[in-house]
Amino acid sequence: MVEVSPDVETTQGAKEFLRFMNTSGYEKEGISAVWQNWDWQETMIFADIVSVASESGGLEININLPDNQLFSGRNKTVEVQCTSDQTERFYYKDLLYLGGNVNIFKYAHAGDHFYAYCLDADCNSLGRACIIIER
């Protein structure tokens, strides 16, 4: 279970990420089962950030999960439409909450992990919640 201390104020992005992590079946079914029946409207993607192109509003990512889509396992440049209140930072060890309400292009770096929702079936655009897992 991923938690944030109750006395920490979280943004919409954190609430969406916590809902996804805690209700998607991670603990009961295992990580891979969550993405077997991936639905771009309901399930986040999990990716590695390859590079950041803040001037164009994009990220180059390699989508690890779901692993059964045409875009899986390949570097892909995507448009990022997350606003500050939808962007959160966690530290990869124990998913320690580092804060939210941030500009994704200021904190995202190559090598970080990344969760987000695709805004289309081909995952050319990401939004709704953008979660940087800093390494």
Side-chain angles (χ1 to χ4, degrees), residues 50-125:
V50 176
S51 66
V52 179
S54 55
E55 62 282 344
S56 66
L59 293 176
E60 182 180 2
I61 60 174
N62 188 299
I63 298 174
N64 298 306
L65 295 167
D67 60 4
N68 58 358
Q69 300 297 308
L70 293 176
F71 53 73
S72 301
R74 301 176 187 190
N75 288 4
K76 179 178 184 69
T77 301
V78 295
E79 179 185 4
V80 179
Q81 296 186 24
C82 281
T83 58
S84 292
D85 67 326
Q86 296 170 324
T87 305
E88 304 297 328
R89 298 168 46 231
F90 289 81
Y91 185 60
Y92 81 100
K93 288 191 177 180
D94 298 326
L95 288 179
L96 174 69
Y97 183 63
L98 298 174
N101 206 21
V102 298
N103 180 327
I104 190 169
F105 299 107
K106 182 176 179 183
Y107 289 96
H109 297 95
D112 289 341
H113 296 306
F114 186 66
Y115 286 86
Y117 286 100
C118 296
L119 298 179
D120 58 76
D122 295 324
C123 211
N124 293 315
S125 183

Side-chain angles (χ1 to χ4, degrees), residues 20-41:
F20 170 74
M21 293 295 283
N22 294 326
T23 63
S24 64
Y26 252 55
E27 291 182 4
K28 288 188 266 178
E29 300 174 38
I31 290 174
S32 61
V34 173
W35 281 281
Q36 282 179 338
N37 295 312
W38 182 74
D39 177 346
W40 67 271
Q41 295 174 317

